[in-house]
């Protein structure tokens, strides 16, 4: 099949099929000129996963479409012709992208064609005829930069695509349903809804974007959180189709960790509440119910997979709810300590004034989803407000402790048990900050000491975790030394010599233990 035979007018009479195609174009509100349409049709023969096509024909096609650029530059050029030519450049780029794996010199050919594509569509993207190819084009260019390990350029291109999608969807009633040329050229192509196709590309772009942000590290953490939230928001509406419930829940808890790191409690709580809703709605299983002995092996396998997903989802949700409660206890205690210090009042005022000058940050919430599905707070005692009194702290403390003890009682995996014990130590530590009574502080700190030895059997392979546990030992003993020193200051050795001696002995004991574990930590034993 030669390029000339397909691409040049007058080579053959217009067939009935071509007339029907033309009518289809008119019905779909797009009608390119026959020459450009034929060239675009040829370009589809080079797309797909196969790389065994005639590369000379591809070169000829490139030469031919460049001849159209002179006519395209005219002000009277129809948008239909521009979009169809842009699609042709996209298809050629896709072909080069496939063979780039083996021939690096083809990268320039791929980039040249996709830039032609995007240049043709510049300032014309927000149109039902061009939005799909515009998003696909940005995605392909971002993929090329990704392959070249140029994360900054890839992120910039993906960001533009996200902005285009958002702008189009905000005014979708005005722009109309996106049109895919391939549906018209190939009648047997699966005709997905235009919005569905656009959303599918958008999800791929967001997935690529979050991956690039991870590679860039903490410098792009806020952008990573925002794009990840946008991905979760879009994927939520796809859950009943793809059934990836656990993956969605896991991603939501990971974003929650990042949000808590920045004390963004309202947003973290929204993510946890919706993740818990997904678990209750789609992965709810009665663990006490015995599995049926009857049924096909396929049904048993499906039931077993669902059970495993449900258990894993429950583990990560319980641990993340506990993490939320612990972070809230800690940050609230630190905030109360700052407020109690008169010297920090002016500093707090200056900080608040600086914050007020900043641009207001859009909250990453699931407001519409929570409203639509009537999603309420999973635990009423855990809110997005800072804890301001002892009773509120104790209520949060008891809830977190109960959650962590429950997950340990269920004989979970060793890793889960270790994580639960570490969090139990933390919840004791931060609750002790709310205790005004010295003896109550010592009781909570001693409970940390009793839990920590249970973690000393960590496998040697987990060296980082093992060092962390030794450091926690040293810090806990150090806290007990500080608490006992405070107690010693209130004891008069003249009237209570035995009491004074006992406190000194406690100080010596915890000082010796703390130094021992600190030395092990430093020596990396």
């Amino acid at each position: 099949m030669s390029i000339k035979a397909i691409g040049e007018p007058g080579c053959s009479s217009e067939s009935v099929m071509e007339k029907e195609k033309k009518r289809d174009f008119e019905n779909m509100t797009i009608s390119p000129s026959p020459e450009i349409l034929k060239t675009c049709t040829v370009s589809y023969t080079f797309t797909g996963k196969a790389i065994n096509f005639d590369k000379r024909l591809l070169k000829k096609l490139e030469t031919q479409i460049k001849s159209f650029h002179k006519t395209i530059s005219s002000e009277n050029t129809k948008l239909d012709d521009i979009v169809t030519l842009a699609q042709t450049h996209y298809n050629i780029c896709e072909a080069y992208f496939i063979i780039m794996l083996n021939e690096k010199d083809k990268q320039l050919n791929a980039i040249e064609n996709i830039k032609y594509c995007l240049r043709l569509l510049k300032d014309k993207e927000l149109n039902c005829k061009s939005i799909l190819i515009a998003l696909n084009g940005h995605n392909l260019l971002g993929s090329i930069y990704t392959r070249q390990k140029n994360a900054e350029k890839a992120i910039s291109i993906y960001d533009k695509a996200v902005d285009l999608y958002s702008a189009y969807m905000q005014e979708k009633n005005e722009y109309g349903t996106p049109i895919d040329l391939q549906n018209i050229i190939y009648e047997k192509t699966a005709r997905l809804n235009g919005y569905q196709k656009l959303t599918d590309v958008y999800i791929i772009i967001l997935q690529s974007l979050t991956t690039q942000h991870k590679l860039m590290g903490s410098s792009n953490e806020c952008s990573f959180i925002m794009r990840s939230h946008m991905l979760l928001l879009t994927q939520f509406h796809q859950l009943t189709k793809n059934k990836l419930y656990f993956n969605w829940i896991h991603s939501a808890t990971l974003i929650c960790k990042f949000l808590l790191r920045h004390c963004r409690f309202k947003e973290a709580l929204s993510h946890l509440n919706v993740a818990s809703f997904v678990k209750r709605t789609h992965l709810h299983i009665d663990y006490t119910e015995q599995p049926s002995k009857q049924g096909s092996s396929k049904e048993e396998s499906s039931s077993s997979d669902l059970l495993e997903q449900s258990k894993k989802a429950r583990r990560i949700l319980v641990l993340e709810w506990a993490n939320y409660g612990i972070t809230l206890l800690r940050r609230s205690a630190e905030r109360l300590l700052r407020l109690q210090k008169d010297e920090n009042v002016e500093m707090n005022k200056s900080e608040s004034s600086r914050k007020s000058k900043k641009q207001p940050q859009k909250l990453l919430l699931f407001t519409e989803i929570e409203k639509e599905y009537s999603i309420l707070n999973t635990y009423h005692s855990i809110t997005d407000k800072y804890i301001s009194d002892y009773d509120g702290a104790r209520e949060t403390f008891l809830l977190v402790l109960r959650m962590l003890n429950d997950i340990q009682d269920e004989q979970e995996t060793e890793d889960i048990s270790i994580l639960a014990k570490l969090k139990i130590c933390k919840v004791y530590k931060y609750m002790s900050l709310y205790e005004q009574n010295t003896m109550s502080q010592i009781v909570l700190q001693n409970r940390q000491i009793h839990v920590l030895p249970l973690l000393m059997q960590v496998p040697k392979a987990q060296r980082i975790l093992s060092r962390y546990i030794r450091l926690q030992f040293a810090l806990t003993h150090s806290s007990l030394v500080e608490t006992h020193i405070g107690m010693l200051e209130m004891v008069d050795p003249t009237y209570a010599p035995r009491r004074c001696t006992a406190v000194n002995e406690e100080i010596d004991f915890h000082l010796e233990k703390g130094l021992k574990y600190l030395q092990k930590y430093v020596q990396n034993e």
Side-chain angles (χ1 to χ4, degrees):
M1 181 186 294
S2 70
I3 297 295
K4 183 177 180 181
I6 293 177
E8 292 185 359
C11 292
S12 61
S13 60
E14 190 178 38
S15 66
V16 175
M17 185 179 293
E18 285 174 332
K19 288 180 180 178
E20 287 177 354
K21 280 183 182 178
K22 187 174 181 180
R23 281 199 297 273
D24 279 343
F25 271 99
E26 290 168 352
N27 292 336
M28 295 293 286
T29 69
I30 185 169
S31 180
S33 62
E35 297 87 352
I36 294 178
L37 171 59
K38 288 176 184 178
T39 308
C40 185
T41 304
V42 174
S43 71
Y44 275 107
T45 64
F46 298 103
T47 61
K49 295 182 180 179
I51 62 172
N52 297 321
F53 51 73
D54 191 333
K55 293 166 191 170
R56 290 174 300 174
L57 286 179
L58 184 61
K59 274 292 182 186
K60 287 181 180 179
L61 181 63
E62 277 191 278
T63 304
Q64 185 170 355
I65 63 171
K66 285 177 182 177
S67 66
F68 291 128
H69 281 269
K70 293 179 181 179
T71 57
I72 286 293
S73 60
S74 169
E75 292 183 1
N76 298 323
T77 305
K78 294 190 301 181
L79 178 63
D80 302 33
D81 286 342
I82 294 172
V83 170
T84 309
L85 190 59
Q87 180 70 57
T88 308
H89 276 295
Y90 173 87
N91 292 344
I92 293 172
C93 174
E94 192 175 51
Y96 278 124
F97 184 73
I98 294 168
I99 60 178
M100 269 171 56
L101 291 171
N102 301 317
E103 301 178 38
K104 292 185 179 180
D105 60 312
K106 302 303 180 187
Q107 291 183 12
L108 293 176
N109 301 82
I111 291 175
E112 181 185 23
N113 275 282
I114 200 61
K115 285 187 174 180
Y116 264 131
C117 167
L118 297 179
R119 199 177 300 132
L120 286 166
L121 298 175
K122 187 177 181 183
D123 300 327
K124 304 176 188 68
E125 298 94 342
L126 299 180
N127 188 292
C128 64
K129 302 175 183 180
S130 54
I131 185 62
L132 192 55
I133 177 60
L135 241 66
N136 275 318
H138 281 85
N139 181 42
L140 189 50
L141 181 56
S143 299
I144 292 171
Y145 286 138
T146 298
R147 189 170 286 179
Q148 293 177 339
K149 301 189 184 305
N150 193 333
E152 287 187 4
K153 280 190 174 181
I155 287 172
S156 175
I157 292 298
Y158 288 139
D159 279 337
K160 288 178 183 177
V162 169
D163 293 340
L164 282 175
Y165 175 86
S166 300
Y168 191 89
M169 294 304 287
Q170 282 175 5
E171 303 292 339
K172 65 178 183 178
N173 293 332
E174 178 186 340
Y175 296 131
T177 305
I179 299 171
D180 186 1
L181 277 170
Q182 192 173 8
N183 282 346
I184 302 168
I185 293 175
Y186 294 104
E187 295 175 351
K188 294 182 180 180
T189 303
R191 292 176 179 269
L192 289 176
N193 177 276
Y195 288 118
Q196 183 61 56
K197 281 194 171 184
L198 196 67
T199 300
D200 289 345
V201 178
Y202 175 66
I203 288 174
I204 292 170
I205 289 169
L206 283 176
Q207 288 172 335
S208 301
L209 191 50
T210 53
T211 300
Q212 292 304 307
H213 278 302
K214 284 180 184 177
L215 293 175
M216 291 290 287
S218 59
S219 60
N220 278 286
E221 191 170 275
C222 289
S223 295
F224 167 73
I225 294 172
M226 182 177 66
R227 297 312 189 191
S228 297
H229 171 77
M230 293 169 72
L231 180 59
L232 286 172
L233 202 58
T234 307
Q235 288 178 326
F236 179 87
H237 299 289
Q238 312 286 321
L239 285 175
T240 53
K241 295 179 182 178
N242 58 34
K243 311 294 183 186
L244 299 175
Y245 306 119
F246 174 76
N247 291 353
W248 196 95
I249 292 168
H250 185 245
S251 297
T253 56
L254 288 177
I255 299 308
C256 185
K257 283 183 173 64
F258 284 102
L259 291 167
L260 288 175
R261 192 180 298 171
H262 298 281
C263 297
R264 294 164 67 171
F265 292 108
K266 188 178 183 70
E267 296 155 289
L269 189 62
S270 179
H271 281 72
L272 278 178
N273 279 326
V274 177
S276 297
F277 168 79
V278 172
K279 164 67 175 66
R280 290 194 306 272
T281 307
H282 301 291
L283 292 176
H284 177 70
I285 289 181
D286 185 356
Y287 298 102
T288 61
E289 188 177 298
Q290 294 296 322
S292 174
K293 294 182 180 179
Q294 296 179 344
S296 66
S297 58
K298 186 176 181 181
E299 288 175 346
E300 288 177 3
S301 176
S302 176
S303 177
S304 176
D305 289 344
L306 187 63
L307 178 62
E308 185 58 30
Q309 277 195 63
S310 180
K311 285 183 175 180
K312 287 166 67 178
R314 183 177 182 277
R315 290 170 198 157
I316 63 173
L317 278 170
V318 167
L319 290 172
E320 199 51 43
W321 273 110
N323 186 44
Y324 184 98
I326 291 166
T327 306
L328 188 61
L329 280 170
R330 175 189 174 184
R331 298 303 185 187
S332 297
E334 292 171 349
R335 178 174 174 272
L336 288 171
L337 288 171
R338 287 199 304 271
L339 292 174
Q340 288 173 3
K341 294 180 180 179
D342 293 336
E343 62 267 26
N344 285 332
V345 172
E346 292 302 320
M347 183 188 71
N348 290 332
K349 286 181 180 178
S350 62
E351 282 183 358
S352 61
S353 64
R354 282 199 302 272
K355 288 178 181 178
S356 63
K357 292 178 183 178
K358 290 182 179 179
Q359 289 289 337
Q361 188 178 43
K362 184 180 178 182
L363 295 179
L364 306 180
L365 304 171
F366 294 96
T367 307
E368 294 300 322
I369 291 173
E370 290 175 286
K371 185 177 179 181
E372 181 181 352
Y373 294 94
S374 302
I375 301 174
L376 302 175
N377 198 5
T378 307
Y379 298 101
H380 295 294
S381 58
I382 294 183
T383 70
D384 58 0
K385 303 292 189 297
Y386 281 106
I387 298 168
S388 58
D389 54 41
Y390 176 82
D391 290 339
R394 184 167 177 78
E395 192 175 5
T396 302
F397 163 74
L398 292 174
L399 175 62
V400 171
L401 201 59
R402 185 167 64 250
M403 285 192 288
L404 293 172
N405 283 327
D406 285 347
I407 203 171
Q408 284 194 108
D409 293 341
E410 291 171 8
Q411 297 180 344
E412 296 290 354
T413 63
E414 185 179 0
D415 287 347
I416 297 296
S417 179
I418 289 171
L419 288 171
K421 286 183 174 68
L422 284 171
K423 291 185 185 301
I424 287 173
C425 288
K426 285 184 178 180
V427 79
Y428 281 134
K429 175 182 178 179
Y430 296 124
M431 185 59 207
S432 68
L433 299 175
Y434 293 87
E435 294 288 354
Q436 299 298 314
N437 183 279
T438 303
M439 290 308 299
S440 297
Q441 292 177 8
I442 291 174
V443 168
L444 290 172
Q445 290 167 346
N446 276 328
R447 286 182 180 174
Q448 283 181 258
I449 297 294
H450 293 148
V451 174
L452 283 169
L454 302 175
L455 295 166
M456 295 308 293
Q457 303 304 318
V458 173
K460 291 182 179 180
Q462 300 186 34
R463 183 173 293 276
I464 294 175
L465 180 58
S466 180
R467 290 192 72 218
Y468 174 79
I469 292 168
R470 284 171 172 74
L471 181 60
Q472 291 307 306
F473 253 120
L475 291 172
T476 305
H477 282 292
S478 176
S479 296
L480 279 162
V481 169
E482 186 178 358
T483 304
H484 280 89
I485 288 174
M487 183 186 294
L488 189 63
E489 291 173 352
M490 295 184 291
V491 177
D492 189 335
T494 306
Y495 297 100
R498 291 184 180 178
R499 178 65 177 156
C500 187
T501 301
V503 173
N504 275 312
E505 287 175 352
E506 286 290 322
I507 292 173
D508 292 341
F509 171 79
H510 291 297
L511 192 59
E512 181 184 352
K513 288 286 186 181
L515 288 171
K516 173 186 172 184
Y517 285 108
L518 184 61
Q519 187 177 22
K520 286 185 175 183
Y521 172 80
V522 172
Q523 294 176 351
N524 199 18
E525 290 184 9

